[in-house]
Amino acid sequence: VPAVITRRQVLLLLPLTAALACGKRGPAPPPQPPVATAPPPAAAPVEYEDPPGDPQRKLLLRGAVVMTAAGKIYERADLLVEGSKITAIGVDLPVPEGAAVVELAGKTLTPGIIDTHSHIGVYAAPGLTGHNDGNEAIAPNTAGVRSGDAYFPQDPQINHARAGGITTMQILPGSANLFGGRSVTVRTLPGARSLADARFPGAPEGLKMACGENPKRVYGQKSGPHTRMGNVAGYREGFQKAREYQRTWDKYQRDLGEWAAKKDQPPPKDGKQPDEPSPPARDQALETLAGVLRGEILVHNHCYRADEMSLMLELAATYGFKIRSFHHATEAYKIADRLAATETAASVWADWWGFKAEAFDGIRENAAMVHQAGARAIIHSDSPIGIQRLNQEAAKAMHAGRRVGITITDDDALKWITLHPAWALGIDKRTGSLEPGKLADLVVWSGDPFSVYAVAEQVYIAGELVYHRGKVEPRTDFDLGLHPEDLQRPAPAPVLRGAP
Amino acid sequence: MSLLRLALALVLSAPAPARPATPAVTRPPAAAAKTPARAGPVYLVGGELHVGDGAVIPDSVVAMDGGVFTVVGGADARGKLPTGAPVVDVRGRVLTPGLFGADTTLGLVEIDLEGSTRDDSRGGDPPIRAAYDAASAISADSSLLPVQVVEGVTSAAVTPTGGVVSGQVAVIDLVPGDHRGLVAAPRVAVAAHLGQAFGGSRAATLAKLREVLADARIYPARKAAVERAQSRPLAAHPLDLEALQPALKRQAVVTVSADRASDILAALDLAREFGLRIAVVGGAEAWKVADELARAKVPVVLQPTQNLPGSFDTMGARLDNAALLHQAGAEVVITILGDAHNLRNLRQEAGNAVAHGLPWAAALTAVTLGPARAYGVDRTHGSVAAGKVANLVVWSGDPLELASHAVTVYVRGVAAGTTTRQTLLRDRYRDLTPFQPRTSEKVVREGK
């Protein structure tokens, strides 16, 4: 890394450096003098600043129902996009000079939909043996692997997610392992040739953990764990080791600081300068778990049952970390108070249940009851089909709650698929609601997004039109040439980008 | 169809007989609850009735008695009701036939990943399992049944899985707890599979099916010889060959699971060759051969939201599959494939088909009369017509819309209960106060 870099270079490098940093970065050291040989100090957690985007871009989206997911629904309003961001929302906004106007009378505008739980790209379609990259099912602790390293940006499922209004999704490793590995948050941008092009810049990484039946089933006849006892022992062992690992690194940083402070002083009487301390060995898995203990990596915990989620909350408290969101959490409604008290989100389905023993108690009112208790409800998909209509799933969960008398506004339910998942992914300051200053991640719906008949007509990511129903429908490489119409002459131009 | 009629007659002529006084033994209340309620009479007046065949009666009269519809008509049909009949005013409501779930394991599987709760497949056996009869394995006590009923599902074609020929399909009405009466019509269809179901190749699968069907065709004439062991070995057990006879006589349907266009065409050829009456199940690429399907009058049982290229057999999957088939004149049946727990989402699937071009009326037919026709039970099921089984849903609004819900569900003329395992769980946890711990123990930090 050059000594002086411009802000633009920082932005360009960020996707890559972010990916590399976690492997290279040591535990947060005490303040120390600059020493050439020391490992790069951990950057103080700074808010990522989004690039301004194309300065020429000025878009006025006019006359839509605007559902902000920020507490307000406008029956008719305009939204101004400048560069990558929303700069104004209001009734009858003036048309700025040079702005393109998009008339949206009768349409509904919402934030881009965000899914906290997807395996798109790591279980790419078609489901070929060669595409099976979602579970590093070789050991119960593979905290060192990263889903981003397996993300296939040519997965045709990405196109379908985008067409369903998805702008951002967390790609998680599967749930075979107690510690499945690090997750990555990506955008559904067309034309990505590698993870770096798709990655949501500056988004924190996550750690996928899994409770219950899956690790038992996968390892029961192998190395273990064989029972839920074994599962929890495995979590304890992992975090205890991470704590000790952190201690080794803390000590190294202290020793290094002391050494550095002394090394330019006159040599001691015996004339011998102490050797520079050598750094301890890096361990990829422990780096991840230590990152969790330091609060830098957000925990996403696949966990169905109320008793197990409660145990996990206790375990997290004893080791001093937070669980950002439980996933699946079919019994979240039984411990909604505990989720609220610990500020733990519940990423749930609207109605999946019964496919395994730990999912037997799923109910339609799950999200609504979590919401009512004051905890963050999130509707997630865990499915390349479900991800295409999270709006409908949120609608089902909302109506189920209303039918039993729980107060849920449309704005509340919209948050379940926008602002709350953004929070769970650590990007809620930048996306997830329609507010000036936030990224212009937007969906234009043909009507009320909570209607079964509504479809996404336009999708914008950071101000860029990436999908326009019937006009701009980008496809990934894998999808090309496998449809007879692709082979007709003259060949249709394969659409890659949205608006020029 | 004599069997079917017989079964139906039994079902329909089953008003609860007065039970002899029970001996002085304390019975669990559940036993009493299982006594079927007397089916009717029920008179619903003023609702917007969607008959199921596309017809709409805005100000309708629907009467049910003894488990069947007795009067169905417009406002003028009020005259047919007995004077002083206790009518229920359903003005502002939408009435439809009960929803009919095609190709489902409802009642055969309680928890998918628990083998001990699964009865959907004869395991570890030859690929031909024609004699495997779903009707004999369905649990009337399955927790899945009430969960579907409260959301408007009243009938299902319960279908075994696995192998090349999985077995016999049974049509049930969703009357939880009624062990004797649940099955409305057993053995209405035989479930078969194309694609790589056998021998690692679709060609092998097809050859296997041909072999079995050919032997089934000659089996009746050879029965005696087979019994005397004077026949060459036949392609399947005599019971399986016997079980295929109704299909060869077009008295039972053969449901053929096939997604790739070439497999669907193979199914059509097979049907012609053996004179079978088939329905295609899955049908991801059915739109590619929609004209042929329409000409052959072969219905396609599909799930509209399944639009992904999950395999090279479904490369052509698309959201407007149902719409394109309908345009071509083929019969579309909408179902939930492979998730009996959420068969209740049938109407959401139908709504999505509408969002992608299927006319609304066709979508409703696709979850009511369509499946009844596909399984050959439309004489008794699938629409609201005098004489048919009184399966009916009173909806709060557009039944395909997510904001609507089933207000009352009638199964065989009786208003279904509204309690399910799920509503009980919900109500138990609505208020978490009673669950607050009695002692508060401080979390102890793990040792350093």
Side-chain angles (χ1 to χ4, degrees):
Chain A
V1 180
V4 180
I5 51 175
T6 64
R7 186 162 167 279
R8 184 171 157 71
Q9 279 172 313
V10 171
L11 298 172
L12 287 171
L13 285 168
L14 216 128
L16 262 178
T17 47
L20 296 172
C22 298
K24 285 194 175 162
R25 188 196 295 164
Q32 54 182 295
V35 179
T37 49
V46 283
E47 285 295 327
Y48 177 88
E49 198 178 320
D50 286 292
D54 180 358
Q56 302 298 313
R57 181 187 294 131
K58 276 187 198 165
L59 271 177
L60 185 67
L61 306 177
R62 195 152 71 176
V65 175
V66 179
M67 301 175 70
T68 60
K72 190 165 171 57
I73 293 177
Y74 297 86
E75 280 316 308
R76 191 182 172 285
D78 309 336
L79 183 146
L80 181 64
V81 176
E82 290 181 274
S84 65
K85 295 191 182 172
I86 301 165
T87 52
I89 303 173
V91 180
D92 296 330
L93 292 181
V95 183
E97 204 186 314
V101 177
V102 184
E103 296 293 352
L104 296 177
K107 313 293 182 191
T108 302
L109 198 55
T110 70
I113 308 303
I114 302 175
D115 191 357
T116 57
H117 198 120
S118 175
H119 302 294
I120 286 179
V122 295
Y123 280 119
L128 306 174
T129 317
H131 284 171
N132 189 353
D133 284 318
N135 264 312
E136 185 65 11
I138 52 141
N141 182 350
T142 58
V145 308
R146 302 170 191 196
S147 62
D149 291 338
Y151 183 71
F152 182 42
Q154 304 299 349
D155 183 350
Q157 296 173 132
I158 299 165
N159 309 327
H160 294 288
R162 186 192 306 118
I166 298 287
T167 53
T168 301
M169 52 192 183
Q170 175 172 236
I171 307 304
L172 288 157
S175 51
N177 303 347
L178 301 176
F179 299 103
R182 295 191 196 190
S183 69
V184 65
T185 296
V186 299
R187 291 161 151 170
T188 56
L189 285 167
R193 286 180 295 172
S194 70
L195 173 69
D197 302 331
R199 190 176 192 121
F200 196 107
E205 289 180 290
L207 166 65
K208 173 70 175 287
M209 292 179 65
C211 296
E213 293 181 27
N214 288 11
K216 263 159 47 91
R217 188 172 54 250
V218 175
Y219 296 104
Q221 307 305 318
K222 299 184 201 163
S223 59
H226 188 75
T227 65
R228 284 184 163 87
M229 295 188 285
N231 286 355
V232 180
Y235 311 133
R236 286 201 189 101
E237 189 188 348
F239 283 116
Q240 185 58 37
K241 279 189 180 155
R243 190 187 259 176
E244 286 155 14
Y245 178 79
Q246 179 73 52
R247 208 144 51 206
T248 338
W249 273 92
D250 287 347
K251 178 174 184 310
Y252 163 69
Q253 296 290 0
R254 265 197 318 274
D255 292 351
L256 188 68
E258 281 167 21
W259 172 82
K262 282 182 197 155
K263 85 176 163 79
D264 294 330
Q265 290 171 6
K269 290 213 171 78
D270 59 7
K272 219 178 149 211
Q273 279 284 15
D275 289 340
E276 179 184 342
S278 39
R282 290 273 178 210
D283 181 294
Q284 293 292 319
L286 291 173
E287 279 295 325
T288 301
L289 299 186
V292 166
L293 296 180
R294 292 194 301 270
E296 295 162 9
I297 294 178
L298 308 178
V299 173
H300 293 275
N301 191 178
H302 157 120
C303 209
Y304 287 83
R305 276 183 6 194
D307 54 326
E308 279 185 294
M309 285 189 278
S310 297
L311 277 176
M312 293 308 291
L313 289 175
E314 286 166 28
L315 186 130
T318 65
Y319 284 98
F321 68 92
K322 298 282 270 185
I323 294 169
R324 193 70 164 193
S325 180
F326 284 116
H327 288 241
H328 310 337
T330 41
E331 296 186 7
Y333 65 97
K334 298 184 185 178
I335 50 155
D337 52 345
R338 292 173 178 169
L339 297 175
T342 55
E343 266 206 284
T344 309
S347 295
V348 304
W349 294 290
D351 50 23
W352 289 20
W353 72 286
F355 42 91
K356 51 178 155 172
E358 60 192 2
F360 199 47
D361 284 6
I363 63 170
R364 272 212 193 276
E365 295 82 0
N366 196 17
M369 286 163 72
V370 167
H371 162 80
Q372 191 181 31
R376 278 189 186 83
I378 293 168
I379 303 292
H380 72 345
S381 79
D382 193 15
S383 151
I385 295 282
I387 198 172
Q388 299 178 45
R389 51 194 65 79
L390 281 181
N391 54 314
Q392 292 180 22
E393 300 307 297
K396 285 190 290 183
M398 172 181 78
H399 289 300
R402 285 180 183 170
R403 276 199 285 281
V404 294
I406 299 172
T407 305
I408 308 162
T409 65
D410 282 13
D411 190 70
D412 291 332
L414 183 60
K415 283 183 180 143
W416 299 350
I417 52 174
T418 54
L419 192 62
H420 291 179
W423 179 84
L425 303 183
I427 51 175
D428 55 315
K429 300 273 194 303
R430 298 162 53 202
T431 188
S433 59
L434 303 184
E435 292 173 273
K438 279 197 162 181
L439 287 167
D441 294 342
L442 314 166
V443 185
V444 175
W445 301 90
S446 60
D448 175 4
F450 293 139
S451 162
V452 77
Y453 305 122
V455 291
E457 291 188 339
Q458 299 175 38
V459 179
Y460 296 82
I461 295 178
E464 182 191 347
L465 178 70
V466 294
Y467 174 81
H468 195 168
R469 195 168 149 80
K471 293 177 183 153
V472 180
E473 299 185 342
R475 290 161 59 187
T476 51
D477 295 353
F478 200 90
D479 210 28
L480 289 184
L482 293 169
H483 303 272
E485 61 270 27
D486 286 357
L487 309 179
Q488 287 161 5
R489 281 188 213 147
V495 176
L496 187 59
R497 297 303 279 252
Chain B
M1 294 302 241
S2 59
L3 248 180
L4 200 157
R5 268 201 228 105
L6 179 70
L8 217 108
L10 282 172
V11 164
L12 299 186
S13 63
R19 288 212 158 177
T22 35
V25 177
T26 317
R27 293 237 174 157
K34 275 173 196 163
T35 310
R38 172 163 161 70
V42 177
Y43 308 102
L44 305 178
V45 172
E48 177 186 304
L49 172 66
H50 296 260
V51 173
D53 60 2
V56 185
I57 305 175
D59 180 11
S60 68
V61 171
V62 177
M64 307 173 243
D65 198 8
V68 294
F69 294 115
T70 49
V71 178
V72 177
D76 53 330
R78 288 186 193 218
K80 295 185 190 168
L81 303 185
T83 25
V87 299
V88 181
D89 184 353
V90 289
R91 271 178 299 181
R93 303 293 195 197
V94 176
L95 274 49
T96 71
L99 308 183
F100 190 129
D103 201 83
T104 178
T105 57
L106 187 66
L108 296 177
V109 178
E110 195 70 18
I111 298 174
D112 299 84
L113 283 186
E114 297 292 339
S116 65
T117 75
R118 296 190 68 134
D119 290 297
D120 57 321
S121 175
R122 181 167 128 191
D125 262 327
I128 306 305
R129 314 162 185 182
Y132 184 84
D133 188 357
S136 64
I138 299 167
S139 169
D141 289 334
S142 167
S143 70
L144 283 76
L145 261 54
V147 171
Q148 318 309 320
V149 176
V150 296
E151 301 208 27
V153 182
T154 62
S155 302
V158 180
T159 307
T161 64
V164 173
V165 176
S166 310
Q168 304 282 330
V169 179
V171 168
I172 62 169
D173 289 320
L174 275 59
V175 276
D178 189 354
H179 299 278
R180 284 279 178 214
L182 185 78
V183 173
R187 299 176 289 280
V188 296
V190 180
H193 304 269
L194 288 183
Q196 292 189 336
F198 177 73
S201 155
R202 56 206 346 108
T205 306
L206 210 52
K208 188 71 188 168
L209 266 177
R210 283 214 161 81
E211 183 187 330
V212 170
L213 287 167
D215 279 3
R217 198 150 57 177
I218 60 168
Y219 173 71
R222 298 247 186 120
K223 212 166 171 175
V226 170
E227 289 300 323
R228 290 196 303 271
Q230 288 175 339
S231 164
R232 67 167 169 83
L234 296 180
H237 189 277
L239 286 177
D240 291 313
L241 297 173
E242 192 75 70
L244 287 167
Q245 298 309 315
L248 288 170
K249 291 181 204 147
R250 297 179 71 86
Q251 290 164 349
V253 175
V254 180
T255 64
V256 184
S257 297
D259 279 316
R260 204 168 91 172
S262 70
D263 289 334
I264 296 170
L265 292 179
L268 292 179
D269 293 346
L270 199 71
R272 254 190 300 275
E273 186 180 337
F274 290 93
L276 306 173
R277 186 176 161 200
I278 66 165
V280 168
V281 175
E285 296 191 340
W287 62 274
K288 291 185 177 177
V289 293
D291 290 335
E292 284 212 40
L293 285 160
R295 269 198 301 278
K297 296 191 170 35
V298 167
V300 181
V301 180
L302 54 80
Q303 185 171 352
T305 58
Q306 301 290 311
N307 65 331
L308 292 177
S311 77
F312 269 85
D313 292 356
T314 61
M315 270 301 171
R318 51 195 289 171
L319 288 170
D320 55 1
N321 191 15
L324 294 170
L325 284 163
H326 176 77
Q327 262 169 36
E331 170 117 74
V332 175
V333 175
I334 289 174
T335 195
I336 306 281
L337 294 166
D339 184 9
H341 290 84
N342 274 332
L343 197 56
R344 56 187 174 172
N345 286 338
L346 269 179
R347 61 198 190 94
Q348 184 189 4
E349 288 290 339
N352 276 279
V354 173
H356 295 279
L358 186 68
W360 191 95
L364 182 68
T365 298
V367 289
T368 53
L369 189 58
R373 281 199 288 245
Y375 289 92
V377 294
D378 51 308
R379 289 164 63 106
T380 54
H381 283 75
S383 61
V384 183
K388 281 198 182 187
V389 176
N391 292 343
L392 180 92
V393 187
V394 180
W395 301 95
S396 62
D398 175 355
L400 307 190
E401 189 53 283
L402 305 167
S404 310
H405 67 278
V407 179
T408 313
V409 181
Y410 294 92
V411 186
R412 293 185 185 155
V414 181
T418 54
T419 304
T420 72
R421 189 169 180 280
Q422 297 192 353
T423 64
L424 292 171
L425 281 164
R426 174 194 73 203
D427 294 344
R428 168 173 285 190
Y429 287 96
R430 272 308 295 281
D431 176 12
L432 293 174
T433 321
F435 293 97
Q436 295 314 308
R438 287 157 187 85
T439 58
S440 71
E441 197 181 317
K442 253 198 134 181
V443 170
V444 184
R445 288 185 71 89
E446 294 279 332
K448 292 280 166 185

